[in-house]
Amino acid sequence: MSSKQATLDPTDLWGLALGAVLFEMNGYDAANNYEIEPTEENLEAIRRSLKRGWGIESTEDLMNNLRWLQEEGHRTSFYEMRSFLSTLSMADQSAFLETLPKNTEKHMQYILVKAYMHKLPLAGIAAWDFGRYVDLCRMGAFVGYISEETSWELIRKVAVVAQESYSGWLEYGISYVAGRQFWLGTISEEKAKQHTDYVRSLVLNKDSLWRRLDWNLKLVDEEEAEEAAEAEEVEAEAVETVVVEKEELEAEAMETVVAETVEVQTEAVESEIAQAEPAEVTAKDAETEHIEVATEEAETETRQK
């Protein structure tokens, strides 16, 4: 992380704040916007951490993990479990939990989903995925897997989604803690309290990013948003045009193939008919000659008699 981070504008600070719980847990300094001193020891420690925790050893590995967090993450499993439980009555939910092997990860996760399903917003534990996404972006830039610019571009995009998903920092923090519990697959009061304390500190400490930054801070300039939307619409229309043209070309090619196939088959049938006709005529002629010969022999026999 470069020294430029000390002069981040509010929108980038807001995005950085999404990873605050994890940054605080790792002992990074909020007063320095969670910047890490770029020593060889720190670089090697972060590389080892990325490899051990994520299997990340390259830019490609990093981008694959970021894509998974953005598109799926642990929230997908939470959604699926919550959707299933929501179809059951309270009694049936309890009965279902009794059918699961006790103290297994799946059993614990269902218990957590049942406990949180009516306490979290529709986004569920997405905060957990967003926080880890921001952390990976910053750690990836720190070790050089992506550039500083790319790191902040990625964070800005997920920040907009996060802001639309929750109503404030407290709700985001609670969802983050729930997500971490779900990820652990265990129900530990001690670990839950540890992360709840981090959230409480971020909400109450007047010097924290969460207290310094309004949740509803405008993250995207309206004109820029409109221009981006128009650009996406133009791109979508262009893609649609290409798809339509491709489909039309494929349809024309298919019609040509069908027509040629029919023509070939017709010629083959006509050829078979043409080859069969002389044989049929010859057979008829032979049959006629046979009848004529038989008639002549019969007449000869009659005259002889």
Side-chain angles (χ1 to χ4, degrees):
M1 302 178 191
S2 70
S3 59
K4 291 181 179 179
Q5 189 175 353
T7 57
L8 289 176
D9 62 40
T11 56
D12 284 343
L13 280 174
W14 197 100
L16 183 69
L18 294 174
V21 178
L22 192 52
F23 294 143
E24 294 281 339
M25 185 187 75
N26 288 328
Y28 302 149
D29 187 4
N32 195 31
N33 297 331
Y34 304 120
E35 183 176 345
I36 304 174
E37 186 68 25
T39 64
E40 283 300 321
E41 183 180 356
N42 286 339
L43 286 167
E44 185 57 32
I46 298 301
R47 288 194 189 98
R48 285 198 305 269
S49 177
L50 290 173
K51 181 180 179 180
R52 182 179 62 251
W54 295 89
I56 295 174
E57 297 182 82
S58 66
T59 300
E60 182 180 4
D61 293 338
L62 174 65
M63 296 308 296
N64 285 338
N65 278 279
L66 288 173
R67 190 175 301 110
W68 178 78
L69 284 170
Q70 183 181 25
E71 298 176 358
E72 297 180 41
H74 289 100
R75 64 187 178 280
T76 300
S77 296
F78 183 91
Y79 292 158
E80 291 172 353
M81 292 182 181
R82 181 172 63 180
S83 296
F84 170 69
L85 290 180
S86 67
T87 65
L88 306 177
S89 65
M90 293 296 290
D92 287 341
Q93 288 177 15
S94 298
F96 170 73
L97 290 176
E98 288 297 319
T99 67
L100 299 175
K102 299 298 181 291
N103 298 322
T104 60
E105 181 180 68
K106 186 175 183 180
H107 179 241
M108 294 300 181
Q109 286 180 332
Y110 266 109
I111 290 177
L112 286 166
V113 172
K114 184 175 184 293
Y116 282 110
M117 62 187 296
H118 298 303
K119 297 178 181 178
L120 299 181
L122 184 62
I125 63 171
W128 167 245
D129 294 324
F130 297 152
R132 300 179 87 200
Y133 184 97
V134 170
D135 178 68
L136 274 188
C137 284
R138 298 309 299 138
M139 297 306 107
F142 181 69
V143 299
Y145 290 150
I146 56 176
S147 67
E148 282 287 321
E149 182 180 357
T150 298
S151 171
W152 290 113
E153 286 177 355
L154 293 170
I155 290 174
R156 289 176 197 126
K157 291 179 181 179
V158 81
V160 173
V161 178
Q163 190 180 56
E164 294 173 347
S165 301
Y166 297 98
S167 61
W169 288 115
L170 178 58
E171 186 177 66
Y172 175 86
I174 293 172
S175 300
Y176 181 94
V177 172
R180 190 174 193 279
Q181 287 181 284
F182 182 85
W183 169 68
L184 287 173
T186 60
I187 300 176
S188 170
E189 182 178 350
E190 180 182 351
K191 291 183 178 179
K193 182 180 184 304
Q194 178 187 25
H195 283 77
T196 300
D197 287 344
Y198 285 125
V199 170
R200 182 182 294 108
S201 175
L202 286 165
V203 171
L204 299 179
N205 185 350
K206 63 182 180 60
D207 294 323
S208 77
L209 288 184
W210 288 13
R211 283 293 300 275
R212 288 157 50 194
L213 297 165
D214 179 9
W215 176 264
N216 296 311
L217 176 72
K218 189 194 305 185
L219 300 178
V220 181
D221 183 87
E222 292 182 3
E223 292 184 4
E224 291 181 357
E226 290 178 3
E227 290 177 359
E230 291 175 359
E232 289 181 1
E233 185 177 349
V234 170
E235 183 178 355
E237 291 176 354
V239 171
E240 184 178 356
T241 300
V242 171
V243 171
V244 171
E245 290 177 350
K246 181 181 178 182
E247 290 176 347
E248 290 176 349
L249 290 173
E250 289 177 348
E252 291 177 2
M254 182 59 70
E255 289 178 3
T256 302
V257 170
V258 171
E260 291 176 350
T261 302
V262 171
E263 184 178 352
V264 170
Q265 291 178 343
T266 302
E267 291 176 353
V269 172
E270 291 176 348
S271 177
E272 289 179 7
I273 294 174
Q275 291 175 3
E277 285 178 347
E280 292 178 0
V281 171
T282 301
K284 290 179 180 178
D285 290 344
E287 184 179 355
T288 301
E289 290 176 359
H290 178 71
I291 293 173
E292 290 176 350
V293 169
T295 302
E296 289 177 357
E297 290 176 351
E299 290 176 351
T300 302
E301 288 179 2
T302 301
R303 284 197 297 271
Q304 289 177 346
K305 291 178 179 179

